[in-house]
Structure formats: structure tokens, C-alpha cells
Amino acid sequence: MRDFLYFLVKLALVVFVVRSFVVAPFTIPSESMQPRLLIGDYLLAAKWPYGYSRYSLPFDVPLLPRRVLAAQPERGDVVIFRAPPSNQRDYIKRVIGLPGDSVQLRGGRVILNGRRLPRERIADLVVPASPNSPCFSTLYSEPAAGGGGACRYPRYRETLPGGRSYETLDIGVTGVDDTPVFNVPVGHMFVMGDNRDRSEDSRVATDAGGIGLVPQDNLVGRALVVVYSTDGSASPVRPWTWWPAVRAERIGGRF
């Protein structure tokens, strides 16, 4: 019994170290990062790129009074962070603005430091409608080849200064398509979801119910790789439904 308990202690210590300082698993519960991430994706996040803080540790154990080995993210990074103002929930968004940058949206287009980011229309995103990924509305629903339903959304490729690009969705006109100018202060970042009309991000201040400009001290990690994905149709008590629910084509996707 003593040897077994000793083994459990060592195992718990290894898990604590790996999860705190190397990689940690996260799940995607919302549509805010479509098309890059879908509800039901499971990913690993690298913990080392931006340094470590209490938010790096399981259960927010207050062993680190401040962020150590701190490093700033790059524009375009997909980051996990503790969302203001409560700092209780993990959010995942893309970094658009860094300290010294100005960010504004006009007509749904991002204006970074006074220049509108290039954006080109590409093929629509078409994803099967499933229990965890229903269509946003019937306007975007259509029959799927082979039966069932599918969701079709307008998709674009946006490019940051320096050439880094990624895909975004622009479903329609919303109240955050036009914003004031946000000046990013030292130690903060402006983040957005790739699904621009379905994301709670830096466009809305904390006093208006959003998350506002995010302190870099809230960083938890950088998205690394998708390790599993399910469409939500499996039943835990019906094993024969497990494999058909797996979206195998999404496993291994990197950032």
C-alpha cells in the first residue's frame, strides 16, 4: 500500500508539472473561433511561450505572485487566457492588437494603426449540422449531400502586417461591426474571434458586458494542436455511436 501511494504521489506530481508548465488540454464550447475551431474540438495548448502566472497552475494555485519568464504574443497568435473582468473562465481568441497599436472596426473590417487589413472573399465554409454545431439560423441551412443538413457561411481570408493570414466568418451586420478606436496600452492585447459576428471579445468593454482589452498577465497558453473532435452525436451508453461522431479530419490540425 505504501508503494502504491508513493506511485500515486509521483504520478500526481508529474501531471501537475506537465499541465502547469508544458501543455494542457482545452475544449471549445462556442462558435467564436469558427472556421478554425468548431464546437466539440479538443486541443492542447503550449504553456511555455508567454511565461507563467497563477493562471498557469491548476486551480489557480497562488504560488506565483507575478508572471515569470514573460514574453509577448505575436499578432495572429491563437491564445487562451482568463477573461476579464472576473478572470474565472478560459477564453480562446486571436491576437489582433499589441501595445502601441490602435484598432478599430468599420463596416466589419479591421483597421489596424490606421490601415484597413486586406481581406479577400474565399469559398464558403460548409459544415455538417450536428447536435453541437447547429446552424446559426435557417438562412444558412441547406441540405447536405448524402442526406442530413449543412451550414453554409460566408468566409474570408484576412491578412495582418507581415503577411500572416487566417480565415474569418462574416455572417451579417451586427452592433460591433463599427467601433471607436481602441488604443492598446502597455501590458495588454486586443483579441477577436475569427467568427466576427458570434464572438464576445475586445470590441466590447467590461463595463458593457464584454471582456475589453485583455491584460497579458491573463495569458494561459498558445493553441498548439487539435487532438480530438466530435460532432456531439455520440451517446455514452451506446458504444457503436462513438466512432461515427468523431471528426477524424480535424485531428492533428495545428495553429
Side-chain angles (χ1 to χ4, degrees), residues 24-202:
F26 294 90
T27 63
I28 303 303
S30 77
E31 301 170 334
S32 71
M33 281 299 292
Q34 284 183 329
R36 182 60 193 87
L37 290 167
L38 303 179
I39 296 174
D41 284 352
Y42 291 72
L43 60 86
L44 289 180
K47 303 297 286 291
W48 65 85
Y50 311 128
Y52 305 99
S53 72
R54 62 176 296 177
Y55 300 123
S56 305
L57 306 178
F59 311 110
D60 298 349
V61 179
L63 298 179
L64 298 174
R66 60 183 179 83
R67 193 158 61 115
V68 299
L69 302 177
Q72 183 165 267
E74 298 180 2
R75 296 190 196 97
D77 283 359
V78 176
V79 298
I80 294 94
F81 58 92
R82 286 299 174 89
S86 68
N87 299 334
Q88 297 296 312
R89 298 178 60 190
D90 290 325
Y91 273 34
I92 182 167
K93 305 290 180 188
R94 190 178 299 276
V95 177
I96 301 297
L98 294 171
D101 287 340
S102 66
V103 185
Q104 183 181 22
L105 272 86
R106 294 180 191 163
R109 300 289 299 274
V110 178
I111 299 172
L112 180 64
N113 297 326
R115 294 188 176 183
R116 189 168 64 177
L117 294 184
R119 189 180 78 165
E120 63 173 319
R121 185 77 155 84
I122 58 176
D124 290 345
L125 173 70
V126 180
V127 293
S130 66
N132 66 8
S133 297
C135 298
F136 170 58
S137 82
T138 55
L139 294 175
Y140 305 100
S141 178
E142 64 180 35
C151 310
R152 180 182 293 272
Y153 301 119
R155 180 165 50 173
Y156 299 82
R157 177 166 293 280
E158 187 172 85
T159 304
L160 289 164
R164 193 169 185 179
S165 65
Y166 43 87
E167 296 176 359
T168 67
L169 299 185
D170 189 353
I171 296 174
V173 178
T174 68
V176 288
D177 280 351
D178 294 279
T179 72
V181 176
F182 297 92
N183 294 302
V184 185
V186 173
H188 288 71
M189 54 188 179
F190 186 98
V191 298
M192 295 180 68
D194 291 345
N195 189 344
R196 295 294 163 77
D197 299 319
R198 300 283 289 164
S199 175
E200 181 181 310
D201 50 40
S202 292

Side-chain angles (χ1 to χ4, degrees), residues 217-232:
D217 284 346
N218 286 28
L219 283 164
V220 174
R222 184 180 67 202
L224 189 63
V225 62
V226 175
V227 294
Y228 181 69
S229 183
T230 175
D231 65 13

Side-chain angles (χ1 to χ4, degrees), residues 13-28:
L13 181 60
V14 169
V15 171
F16 178 84
V17 170
V18 170
R19 195 183 186 286
S20 299
F21 302 108
V22 186
V23 295
F26 294 90
T27 63
I28 303 303

